[in-house]
Amino acid sequence: MVRLQMQRNGWAGMPVALVAILVLGLVPLFAAVPNAHAAAGSAFPVSVSVGQSLVLEMPTEVTTVSIADPKVADAAVGSQKTVVVNGKAAGVTSLVVWEEGGHYTLYQVNCVNPGKRQQVLLKVRIGEINTTKARQLGMDWTTYLRSAKHLDGAIAGGLFTGKIEGPSDPPVLGPAVDGFAKYIKSSGDFQFLTIFHALEEQGLARTLASPNIVALSGDSASFIAGGEFPVPITRSSSDNTVAFTIEWKQFGIRLQALPTVLDSNRVQLYVEPEVSAPDYQHAVLLQGSLIPGIISRRVSTTVELKSGEVLVIGGVKSTESIKQVSKFPILGEIPILNLLFKHTRTDLAERDLVMIVSPEIIGTTGKTWPAPIPGEENYGMPQGGKAQPPQTR
């Protein structure tokens, strides 16, 4: 690349030694560029209160500063190696400080108003799309042989392994029957009747939780609906004895959220929903106690939304296959013939976790009771209007 550039500019006749000096001189310049961008790749967070000042000390002499939103904060060079940041209004903005030699540093300035922290209402819906699929294949049948020469009589038999309908002679057609087949020999000496299952099913969606949570800007909020199970923990003591302590592990539907109000209409929101359940298929037997594992589905993200906008998170899937076989002893083990003597059900449980959250900036909380809930009149609770303090006697 250097040779092509030299020929294009007419430097082909330049001495090799001079070319080497120029190339070596350019190496530090190219090496300095990544360092400058690396310093700016991750913004350093700083916080300042409204009406207050913050002094940033720099390692080298400062040449100039630039701030993105002067309505949130302003900045100025204080001395040769300091920058003064003044908070003006609640919000977030960016500050770039250039130092001697062309290096620069990027700061994320978070200006907060400690005297007026806004509240955020989080409307959350956590649901599960259950696309469970079930397949069934089974037969109930009867057969008749009316002319058995060597037995001097008739033979009849049947099997109801599938339990499709109540056993009857002949098998009846009902709402649980998916199909039937019938064969009668022309002479009437032989007859075969069967009803069978050939079914596919698919599940639907359901709501797991729908909490509404109010949190102060910059503070976290959490929600859990589930339970805990004990886990024994062994600890050795100084006298070489083993002691047991109990730790409790949570499971269920859990949500952690951290809203931060950026301005009058924007919210930076961190959310982490989780759905977990005990897993006894991978349990561990410890000192006579069965300790289950935990199946969990978790996702976390940070987004910026306007007040009232909706965030939808999906695609967190889990799949479980369950196969159940009911068969007649011995005859259900014979290849091909076993189709008449067994019933198979396969359930494929596919679940997709979906979370919907909408942040809304609010000024004050409600001062009146909401619509009455069923049964609250039995406990003397107010049916509307202003909340009443508890009565004492």
Side-chain angles (χ1 to χ4, degrees):
M1 295 299 294
V2 174
R3 180 178 302 172
L4 292 176
Q5 184 69 25
M6 290 169 52
Q7 292 177 356
R8 186 178 297 117
N9 293 283
W11 292 354
M14 187 173 293
V16 177
L18 182 56
V19 173
I21 294 174
L22 290 176
V23 173
L24 293 176
L26 290 174
V27 171
L29 295 179
F30 287 109
V33 174
N35 294 334
H37 288 286
S42 56
F44 295 97
V46 294
S47 181
V48 61
S49 300
V50 175
Q52 302 294 323
S53 298
L54 175 69
V55 178
L56 301 177
E57 296 184 357
M58 311 304 296
T60 59
E61 184 176 349
V62 178
T63 58
T64 185
V65 296
S66 175
I67 198 156
D69 191 351
K71 295 181 180 179
V72 175
D74 60 16
V77 179
S79 63
Q80 291 184 347
K81 296 184 179 181
T82 61
V83 176
V84 180
V85 181
N86 301 315
K88 301 174 66 176
V92 178
T93 186
S94 298
L95 169 66
V96 183
V97 178
W98 276 274
E99 303 173 56
E100 187 178 3
H103 297 278
Y104 59 90
T105 307
L106 178 63
Y107 294 91
Q108 179 179 340
V109 181
N110 184 17
C111 189
V112 297
N113 189 347
K116 185 181 179 182
R117 298 180 63 187
Q118 292 180 291
Q119 300 181 105
V120 180
L121 171 63
L122 300 177
K123 300 178 181 179
V124 182
R125 298 293 182 272
I126 301 177
E128 186 178 64
I129 300 177
N130 188 349
T131 58
T132 299
K133 299 178 181 178
R135 299 180 179 90
Q136 296 186 51
L137 180 62
M139 289 185 178
D140 293 344
W141 57 271
T142 59
T143 185
Y144 304 89
L145 183 60
R146 304 186 187 280
S147 177
K149 297 180 180 180
H150 300 286
L151 298 179
D152 192 20
I155 297 177
L159 201 62
F160 300 91
T161 308
K163 300 296 187 297
I164 301 171
E165 292 285 349
S168 62
D169 184 19
V172 298
L173 301 180
V177 177
D178 296 317
F180 76 98
K182 181 178 181 180
Y183 171 74
I184 301 177
K185 192 176 180 180
S186 299
S187 61
D189 295 339
F190 179 78
Q191 183 177 354
F192 178 81
L193 301 174
T194 179
I195 58 176
F196 58 87
H197 262 313
L199 177 67
E200 290 191 5
E201 298 176 349
Q202 186 166 343
L204 299 174
R206 60 172 179 157
T207 299
L208 301 179
S210 56
N212 292 338
I213 308 173
V214 178
L216 285 174
S217 174
D219 283 351
S220 62
S222 61
F223 164 84
I224 182 171
E228 297 179 336
F229 61 87
V231 178
I233 305 298
T234 58
R235 302 182 185 277
S236 59
S237 57
S238 57
D239 56 353
N240 295 327
T241 60
V242 178
F244 288 91
T245 59
I246 299 297
E247 291 186 0
W248 295 87
K249 299 295 184 180
Q250 292 183 338
F251 66 91
I253 305 167
R254 179 163 41 186
L255 172 69
Q256 293 182 343
L258 176 61
T260 302
V261 178
L262 303 180
D263 54 34
S264 60
N265 195 39
R266 292 186 304 139
V267 178
Q268 185 183 54
L269 179 63
Y270 169 80
V271 290
E272 183 179 349
E274 177 183 354
V275 176
S276 58
D279 180 16
Y280 287 93
Q281 293 184 353
H282 300 86
V284 177
L285 187 62
L286 179 62
Q287 298 293 330
S289 300
L290 190 63
I291 310 301
I294 295 182
I295 300 176
S296 62
R297 287 173 288 165
R298 182 190 305 115
V299 64
S300 62
T301 185
T302 301
V303 296
E304 184 177 315
L305 300 171
K306 291 183 179 180
S307 179
E309 288 186 340
V310 178
L311 169 67
V312 180
I313 301 175
V316 185
K317 297 185 178 182
S318 66
T319 303
E320 182 181 5
S321 179
I322 303 174
K323 186 176 182 179
Q324 298 178 350
V325 179
S326 302
K327 57 186 177 181
F328 194 82
I330 302 176
L331 296 179
E333 303 291 343
I334 302 175
I336 301 178
L337 187 62
N338 61 1
L339 295 177
L340 300 175
F341 296 93
K342 73 176 182 180
H343 175 257
T344 303
R345 178 183 177 91
T346 302
D347 293 337
L348 183 62
E350 297 178 347
R351 300 180 178 89
D352 189 353
L353 182 65
V354 178
M355 190 203 74
I356 303 174
V357 58
S358 175
E360 181 179 343
I361 302 174
I362 59 176
T364 58
T365 55
K367 297 181 180 180
T368 59
W369 288 95
I373 59 177
E376 69 176 3
E377 62 276 1
N378 298 331
Y379 297 93
M381 298 181 67
Q383 298 296 322
K386 295 183 178 180
Q388 302 294 330
Q391 301 294 328
T392 58
R393 296 181 180 179

